Amino acid sequence: MAAGYAELLRTRHAARLLVGTLIGRLPNGTAPIAIVLFTRAEGGSYSLAGALAAAYGVANAVGQPLLGRAVDLYGQPRVQLPAALVSALGMVWLALSGTGSVAVAYVAVVVAGLFTPPLEGGLRALWPSVLGGREERVHQAYAMDAVAQEVMFTVGPLLVTLFVALWSPAGALLALNAIGVLGALSVVVSEPSRAWRSAPREAHWLGALRSRGLVALLGAFFFVGTALGSITVAGVAYADDHGGQAVYGWLMAALGLGALVGGVAYGARRWAGAPERRLRSLVALLAVCYLPLVLVPGPVAMTGLAALAGVFLAPAIACAFIVVDRHAPAGTVTEAFSWLVTFFGVGAAMGTAAAGPAVELGGTAAGFGVAGVAGVAALVVLMATQRVLGSVGRGRAVAGSPGVSSGDTPAGASAGASGGVAAAAPADAPASG
């Protein structure tokens, strides 16, 4: 399994772009816990800490697709690095001013969230040119990307607690954002990032959202995010009844480990057939694996169920990347990937909000029940929209490099949106370029 990923990482620029993107996203991945720890250290209440973290999340959800559209229009270096600097300055402002003025604290976190650079979508737009346009390698890179995300979200909180222990919560904010700027810088000065150009695009206020297939996918992944967000809250309630924080740590680690194993296994083989059909199967398995959590057995069995619940998460996300690539109108690929990040994140926030009342009204099982219901809802959306999702142009292929014209693609194929130029838009969207 690892051999395929090792081969990808030996490709020129691949390791640098993957690592640089992960480092650049550290401030975003660690912001909620860093903001909460900082606010509590400043004497702020849990309510204020949660509200500031939520304000950051909402601002981030708004900013990602807007900045993604800017990247598609103006290129990566002209958007990603300035955004990273402004976002970091927002967190520096928070660290230096504290929470004495609540209004200033809110403005600081909103600035930091709104200008978080869309490095995640940017990396996926670069994979086709870096990997020579070989579609199977690009798909494998998407799987590796999904696995790497799980590593970041596992290691990130540990780094926050380490920096807090070594310095202070304010020092952790400063250090993480300085590291993040360095990661973004490493990406944008690379040759692929500087050379990348988006496809010509049709001027349309909806941008990527004019693709009905993309909108259907976003609706489904809103509910996948809801499921994941609810598990984080229900897991706290479970841990309170079964041994405290250590149990919660084991549950979350098991969830991440399951996702890692699933992502590695998914990327280790070549898959035949339409990815839209495969995505329905993966989300169905994801939903089925969420349902047993409502049994709330003892800690050992519950840890096993948590690992099982994570197994199909990374494969589903990796497959969703392929579907985004197939349905994004030409010239909107970074924006399209950024919309996926936004809908997933908003869904996670809604899951967190829904699981709290569910636990209070029906106990821990009801909290995990939110995850099960959300998983089924994601599957229902995909089933209800399968005709729309199946209407993508047949034979669509990933373009080999930026600036490839339609005549350079294989006969009967249209260039993929992520490669830089598409010969035709998806069948469910107006023609682009």
Side-chain angles (χ1 to χ4, degrees), residues 5-27:
Y5 290 146
E7 181 183 353
L8 284 179
L9 292 174
R10 283 195 294 269
T11 303
R12 189 179 179 215
H13 302 300
R16 172 181 176 174
L17 290 172
L18 179 65
V19 173
T21 297
L22 290 176
I23 293 174
R25 290 176 55 214
L26 265 180

Side-chain angles (χ1 to χ4, degrees), residues 1-2 95 114 124 188 191 258 273 287 301 349:
M1 293 181 182
L114 190 63
R124 288 160 204 156
V188 301
E191 181 182 333

Side-chain angles (χ1 to χ4, degrees), residues 160-393:
V160 175
T161 55
L162 175 62
F163 289 163
V164 168
L166 291 176
W167 301 304
S168 66
L173 280 175
L174 296 173
L176 287 166
N177 280 273
I179 292 171
V181 170
L182 292 177
L185 179 64
S186 174
V187 171
V188 301
V189 299
S190 68
E191 181 182 333
S193 180
R194 288 184 288 108
W196 183 83
R197 295 295 181 271
S198 181
R201 59 183 285 152
E202 177 188 358
H204 196 292
W205 70 275
L206 279 175
L209 294 183
R210 68 183 184 271
S211 165
R212 291 179 296 160
L214 178 63
V215 171
L217 177 70
L218 297 178
F221 269 77
F222 170 86
F223 288 111
V224 174
T226 301
L228 199 61
S230 65
I231 288 175
T232 61
V233 174
V236 172
Y238 178 88
D240 287 342
D241 296 334
H242 293 83
Q245 291 184 354
V247 173
Y248 180 73
W250 279 109
L251 290 180
M252 294 301 102
L255 190 69
L257 178 63
L260 282 172
V261 171
V264 170
Y266 177 82
R269 58 164 292 180
R270 186 177 301 177
W271 298 89
E276 291 83 4
R277 189 182 308 117
R278 184 162 68 252
L279 181 62
R280 286 195 295 274
S281 299
L282 289 169
V283 171
L285 291 168
L286 193 64
V288 167
C289 291
Y290 284 152
L291 293 174
L293 294 172
V294 301
L295 299 175
V296 289
V300 175
M302 194 64 179
T303 300
L305 290 178
L308 182 63
V311 166
F312 295 101
L313 179 61
I317 292 173
C319 191
F321 296 160
I322 301 171
V323 176
V324 169
D325 187 47
R326 284 160 59 86
H327 286 269
T332 68
V333 63
T334 310
E335 178 189 344
F337 279 122
S338 298
W339 274 119
L340 183 65
V341 174
T342 288
F343 270 72
F344 190 89
V346 172
M350 294 300 295
T352 301
V359 168
E360 292 177 359
L361 293 173
T364 303
F368 285 116
V370 174
V373 170
V376 171
L379 177 60
V380 169
V381 171
L382 291 177
M383 294 297 293
T385 59
Q386 57 183 306
R387 180 172 295 182
V388 171
L389 283 166
S391 65
V392 68

